[in-house]
């Protein structure tokens, strides 16, 4: 098997940690975990190769810990470990629902995850297993959005799917402005010139420089994730 072999559509889904926490946005809500795993298996069963990056904001964020007085680097290490905790929970749920799944982490925690390695990751995806990539980029001062784009580029994914509370990118905040318009497509340049909020700038610049498509869609609307993952015209596509 060569490192670049890709026999079918390959996507990377970025889920925020907060989404796992449900209404409180803290910790892990078992019913949400179970429903997310069910959706991922549904996508996998359509023949799509699925990589998953989960944030850690439902447990710790370095910036918040810094505000409370902690050293930022230590806080970010805690945030990255939080993404490993979420990854462990998701791996367990996927396996319990009958799907083979591998958890890799940027930090070597040999007894509980595999060490992240791009080529190994691509082989795992090609074999049809779900691949969870935890531990962020492995470095402080970055976000899991940046990790998601970085891993998508390394793993030769076709698209990054970013689940949000709204069903795409709007001209203004749809919760505050009734005239806000949903964009179906945008170029990287349009996102920057219109100053639209898609991802943090580091993540976005990486996507633009490597022409990694980003699709923003609703995490809460039923069927949206499956439609986005199987190439449907869902949410907003940035390319
Ligand atoms: N983090 C980091 N480097 C990375 C990715 C994440 O230091 O490459 C830390 C950072 O403290 C961040 C936390 O992990 O706040 C959790 O990630 P994020 O806030 O992106 O999670 P999400 O908002 O997606 O739940």
């Amino acid at each position: 098997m060569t490192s670049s072999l890709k026999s079918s559509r390959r996507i990377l889904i970025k889920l925020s940690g907060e989404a796992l926490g449900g209404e409180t946005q803290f910790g892990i809500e078992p019913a949400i975990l179970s429903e997310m795993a069910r959706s991922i298996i549904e996508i996998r069963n359509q023949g799509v190769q699925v990589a998953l990056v989960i944030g850690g904001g439902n447990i710790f964020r370095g910036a918040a810990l810094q505000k409370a007085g902690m050293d930022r680097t230590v806080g970010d290490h805690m945030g990255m470990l939080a993404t490993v905790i979420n990854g462990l929970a998701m791996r367990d749920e996927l396996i319990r629902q009958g799907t083979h799944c591998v958890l890799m982490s940027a930090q070597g925690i040999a007894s509980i995850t595999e060490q992240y390695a791009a080529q190994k990751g691509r082989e795992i995806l090609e074999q049809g297993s779900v691949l969870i990539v935890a531990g962020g980029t492995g470095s402080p001062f970055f976000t899991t959005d940046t990790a998601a784009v970085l891993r998508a580029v390394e793993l030769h994914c076709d698209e990054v799917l970013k689940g949000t509370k709204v069903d795409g990118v709007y001209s203004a905040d749809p919760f505050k402005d009734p005239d806000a318009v949903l964009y179906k497509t945008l170029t990287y340049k349009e996102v920057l010139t219109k100053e639209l909020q898609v991802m943090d700038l580091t993540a976005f610049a990486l996507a633009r420089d490597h022409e990694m498509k980003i699709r923003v869609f609703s995490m809460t609307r039923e069927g949206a994730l499956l439609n986005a993952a199987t190439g449907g015209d869902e949410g907003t596509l940035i390319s």
Side-chain angles (χ1 to χ4, degrees):
M1 178 179 296
T2 70
S3 63
S4 59
L5 180 69
K6 189 171 71 170
S7 60
S8 59
R9 178 171 163 81
R10 183 178 293 171
I11 56 160
L12 186 143
I13 304 172
K14 160 71 209 303
L15 298 174
S16 78
E18 279 173 359
L20 274 184
E23 272 180 28
T24 62
Q25 302 189 344
F26 186 79
I28 298 171
E29 177 67 48
I32 292 180
L33 185 72
S34 166
E35 181 52 30
M36 280 181 179
R38 199 194 53 74
S39 302
I40 289 161
I41 292 171
E42 210 177 347
I43 294 164
R44 178 58 216 96
N45 289 346
Q46 299 281 321
V48 178
Q49 298 180 12
V50 184
L52 193 62
V53 166
I54 314 174
N58 55 324
I59 303 173
F60 287 124
R61 279 208 173 93
L65 293 171
Q66 183 181 31
K67 270 194 194 140
M70 186 178 274
D71 177 81
R72 176 61 188 263
T73 303
V74 176
D76 280 343
H77 287 157
M78 291 171 69
M80 285 187 276
L81 289 174
T83 72
V84 177
I85 292 173
N86 287 335
L88 284 166
M90 183 58 85
R91 181 183 65 182
D92 179 72
E93 183 63 35
L94 283 164
I95 290 172
R96 277 192 289 148
Q97 291 192 28
T99 284
H100 192 256
C101 169
V102 176
L103 172 63
M104 287 183 157
S105 169
Q107 293 85 10
I109 315 175
S111 57
I112 56 172
T113 76
E114 297 208 20
Q115 174 73 45
Y116 173 75
Q119 179 159 342
K120 181 100 187 288
R122 289 195 288 259
E123 287 172 6
I124 288 165
L125 289 167
E126 195 53 40
Q127 285 156 8
S129 296
V130 175
L131 176 68
I132 304 176
V133 191
T137 61
S139 296
F141 302 100
F142 290 100
T143 63
T144 44
D145 276 0
T146 300
V149 175
L150 176 65
R151 298 312 182 210
V153 173
E154 287 182 297
L155 294 168
H156 303 166
C157 293
D158 298 306
E159 258 175 53
V160 172
L161 305 187
K162 182 174 157 76
T164 65
K165 289 176 200 150
V166 291
D167 50 0
V169 181
Y170 280 81
S171 54
D173 183 345
F175 291 115
K176 292 181 188 152
D177 184 349
D179 297 327
V181 179
L182 173 72
Y183 295 107
K184 290 305 288 175
T185 58
L186 285 163
T187 62
Y188 301 109
K189 199 172 174 190
E190 281 168 335
V191 170
L192 292 175
T193 51
K194 291 179 199 289
E195 297 185 1
L196 299 169
Q197 197 53 47
V198 174
M199 286 178 168
D200 63 88
L201 271 182
T202 310
F204 192 77
L206 191 64
R208 180 199 56 191
D209 291 353
H210 296 277
E211 296 182 15
M212 176 55 63
K213 292 180 201 158
I214 305 168
R215 190 178 288 278
V216 181
F217 68 99
S218 165
M219 253 333 277
T220 49
R221 202 175 62 72
E222 195 163 343
L225 174 58
L226 180 63
N227 191 27
T230 50
D233 179 23
E234 187 69 40
T236 305
L237 180 67
I238 299 141
S239 61

